[in-house]
Amino acid sequence: MSRAQHERARPNPNRPLREDLVLQACLEAYGGVRREGRLSDRALEFVLRRKTALYSTERRAVAERVYALLRRQRTVDFLLEKSHRKFDALDATRQDVMRLAASRILHGEDPTYVARSSGLTGPDLSVLDRLPDAAAELDALPEAKRFPIAASLPDFLADRFKAVFGKDAARAAEAMNERAPLIVRANTLKGDRAQLQERLAAEDVESTRPTALSPFGLVMETRLNLFSLQDFKDGGFEIQDEGSQLLGMLVDAPPTRVVDACAGAGGKTLQLAAQMKNRGDLHALDVDEGRMEDLRKRARRAGVHNVRTQLIPHEGPDADAALTPLKGQADRVLVDAPCSGTGTFRRKPDARYRLSPEDLEMHVGRQKALLARFAMLVKPGGRLIYGTCSVLREENEEVVEDFISKHPDFSVRPVAEVLGAELGGKLGPGPYLRLAPHTHGTDGFFGAVLVKAK
């Protein structure tokens, strides 16, 4: 690494941002999401990979400002349309500069500095002065009209949030629009959480604290490039939300035969391998070869060697045939089903604008089909664990209820019986795992444990 590259890589919180470079990168990344349909993380990766002159603090500012705007996009657009009578007629770049500026003010930055660093002048500058009046107009709307705009949710999702969270819907939506914490999970094959903290401290990463619920998690209190740490390269930890860790704990995987039916890139697979202490047979199934290859690489780094990866067809007779050798053989089967992702809006804020009622209906149909297919793998007395990163009842409780009605040989086991009374008491009442940012500080997750009769 050259001296110049080293200087760019080393964070310096006292160095002022070069606002012109930050703004240009923000415009490119946000335009990629809003106007080209790119996923937010990919749009940012594409832009930042080419912006090699940016300091690490500037790269972080770009990501944070783009994500902040995406979380509040509907609110920001309402405020600007009320503050500028011809906002819709402005060219796209001018609109986006004003959106980024309004979002920064909405998130507490000094309006004078925002206006100056955004290069706004004349009529555009006066628009920012009118934002408080526009906010008062929003507050004065009838609740049915105000809530979707204030929550920055499509109308159909706002209705579902109110159905799920009731009087707490506004608090739930507000928490979903905050920046998510950076959480890691200690790879217990290489040491417990305290040992991970010690190893991180040896790499000058000292601002960490234990997660409140998961016994394996650490909250990283400063933002840094974790992938550059030697302990990450050595497989000492994985980046994984605390809610996802709790869902993995529901599997309570014994060192016998366990199936991760929708393994993806393998975050929970690696957690299950650690639970099993690298013993027994852990079958990781997925329909995507690219994700399977990612899982194999991660497993090697983590020191996991009890995983057997298997690529399976999407559906149909071939999919069923691929599962025949495992039929009735598994002690545990985890179905972490593809879903709407409504629990992960903090991390994927643009996902809310991509989701339609038809998409949701498609997800529900697929979830029911996957749960029925993989239930065949559970042996008598074994457990089927169903999970999603959704907060919507039709993807969660209603899918489980539909499954039980068609498979009377399965019954629901309360999650507190699996996780223990102390942790179960912190998670709330009811037989299911139901997590959300405003109640638990995690992403939104659902989990159910279904036991097959002997």
Side-chain angles (χ1 to χ4, degrees), residues 205-442:
V205 181
E206 296 180 346
S207 298
T208 66
R209 59 180 168 83
T211 46
L213 301 170
S214 168
F216 312 116
L218 284 177
V219 182
M220 313 300 288
E221 304 210 81
T222 55
R223 296 273 161 167
L224 69 161
N225 180 9
L226 295 178
F227 302 118
S228 68
L229 297 177
Q230 188 59 46
D231 199 57
F232 176 80
K233 297 173 184 177
D234 293 340
F237 66 88
E238 293 287 334
I239 300 171
Q240 185 180 359
D241 182 72
E242 186 178 14
S244 175
Q245 295 178 37
L246 292 167
L247 179 56
M249 289 172 63
L250 272 191
V251 181
D252 191 27
T256 50
R257 177 163 285 150
V258 176
V259 177
D260 187 354
C262 305
K268 292 187 191 68
T269 307
L270 301 182
Q271 181 181 351
L272 300 183
Q275 286 182 30
M276 298 168 71
K277 297 181 171 59
N278 245 342
R279 301 197 296 267
D281 293 322
L282 176 54
H283 298 263
L285 317 179
D286 203 79
V287 297
D288 187 292
E289 175 59 36
R291 291 198 294 257
M292 287 276 92
E293 183 54 34
D294 286 343
L295 191 159
R296 295 182 195 110
K297 291 177 182 176
R298 294 173 72 183
R300 287 193 292 270
R301 186 180 67 238
V304 167
H305 50 72
N306 67 336
V307 173
R308 303 181 181 187
T309 58
Q310 182 181 349
L311 192 67
I312 59 174
H314 276 272
E315 55 190 5
D318 290 343
D320 294 334
L323 300 175
T324 299
L326 289 171
K327 190 172 182 179
Q329 301 296 310
D331 297 275
R332 302 282 190 276
V333 175
L334 170 62
V335 180
D336 183 12
C339 69
S340 63
T342 48
T344 63
F345 283 168
R346 297 189 303 177
R347 302 181 193 278
K348 302 174 182 177
D350 50 315
R352 71 191 74 190
Y353 311 115
R354 302 177 192 279
L355 189 67
S356 69
E358 294 74 26
D359 293 332
L360 186 55
E361 187 176 342
M362 178 270 294
H363 283 306
V364 171
R366 182 164 55 174
Q367 288 152 2
K368 291 178 179 178
L370 289 173
L371 200 52
R373 175 186 299 163
F374 292 118
M376 298 187 299
L377 309 187
V378 182
K379 73 179 187 182
R383 300 178 195 170
L384 176 65
I385 297 87
Y386 174 70
T388 73
C389 55
S390 171
V391 297
L392 305 183
R393 292 189 182 279
E394 56 249 72
E395 295 186 275
N396 296 330
E397 289 92 341
E398 292 178 19
V399 169
V400 172
E401 290 161 6
D402 177 78
F403 175 81
I404 293 291
S405 71
K406 296 171 182 174
H407 299 81
D409 53 334
F410 281 85
S411 59
V412 176
R413 182 174 184 184
V415 297
E417 293 182 13
V418 178
L419 299 176
E422 182 180 354
L423 179 54
K426 294 178 182 178
L427 297 176
Y432 304 122
L433 178 72
R434 176 170 270 286
L435 305 170
H438 71 293
T439 49
H440 300 95
T442 70

Side-chain angles (χ1 to χ4, degrees), residues 68 127 197 298:
V127 167
Q197 275 188 298
R298 294 173 72 183

Side-chain angles (χ1 to χ4, degrees), residues 46-288:
F46 176 77
V47 170
L48 293 177
R49 190 168 57 237
R50 294 184 299 121
K51 302 289 184 179
T52 55
L54 290 177
Y55 302 134
S56 60
T57 50
E58 293 167 340
R59 302 169 79 82
R60 194 173 303 125
V62 171
E64 289 177 356
R65 289 179 188 180
V66 170
Y67 275 124
L69 174 53
L70 289 169
R71 292 187 191 104
R72 303 281 183 172
Q73 183 171 290
R74 190 172 183 187
T75 311
V76 166
D77 279 2
F78 175 89
L79 296 178
L80 288 174
E81 286 161 8
K82 292 296 181 182
S83 301
H84 193 304
R85 273 183 278 180
K86 296 183 179 179
F87 181 74
D88 287 343
L90 301 178
D91 69 78
T93 299
R94 196 170 160 194
Q95 286 183 344
D96 290 350
V97 170
M98 295 176 69
R99 286 187 175 105
L100 287 159
S103 173
R104 290 169 62 190
I105 292 171
L106 195 63
H107 285 85
E109 288 194 53
D110 175 59
T112 303
Y113 175 73
V114 170
R116 186 173 69 250
S117 61
S118 300
L120 295 176
T121 57
D124 294 348
L125 185 58
S126 64
V127 167
L128 299 186
D129 295 333
R130 290 194 287 272
L131 289 178
D133 292 336
E137 285 190 59
L138 175 57
D139 289 341
L141 289 176
E143 176 60 19
K145 289 186 177 180
R146 189 197 68 81
F147 175 68
I149 299 169
S152 202
L153 290 169
D155 288 349
F156 87 98
L157 278 180
D159 290 341
R160 282 168 167 81
F161 265 58
K162 286 191 283 190
V164 170
F165 297 114
K167 62 182 176 56
D168 286 335
R171 194 161 68 94
E174 185 67 24
M176 204 70 83
N177 286 333
E178 297 296 327
R179 187 177 73 171
L182 181 58
I183 310 289
V184 302
R185 175 184 56 79
N187 176 8
T188 53
L189 296 175
K190 303 202 173 190
D192 62 19
R193 176 165 66 183
Q195 290 170 317
L196 172 60
Q197 275 188 298
E198 291 174 5
R199 296 196 305 268
L200 290 175
E203 294 196 62
D204 297 323
V205 181
E206 296 180 346
S207 298
T208 66
R209 59 180 168 83
T211 46
L213 301 170
S214 168
F216 312 116
L218 284 177
V219 182
M220 313 300 288
E221 304 210 81
T222 55
R223 296 273 161 167
L224 69 161
N225 180 9
L226 295 178
F227 302 118
S228 68
L229 297 177
Q230 188 59 46
D231 199 57
F232 176 80
K233 297 173 184 177
D234 293 340
F237 66 88
E238 293 287 334
I239 300 171
Q240 185 180 359
D241 182 72
E242 186 178 14
S244 175
Q245 295 178 37
L246 292 167
L247 179 56
M249 289 172 63
L250 272 191
V251 181
D252 191 27
T256 50
R257 177 163 285 150
V258 176
V259 177
D260 187 354
C262 305
K268 292 187 191 68
T269 307
L270 301 182
Q271 181 181 351
L272 300 183
Q275 286 182 30
M276 298 168 71
K277 297 181 171 59
N278 245 342
R279 301 197 296 267
D281 293 322
L282 176 54
H283 298 263
L285 317 179
D286 203 79
V287 297
D288 187 292

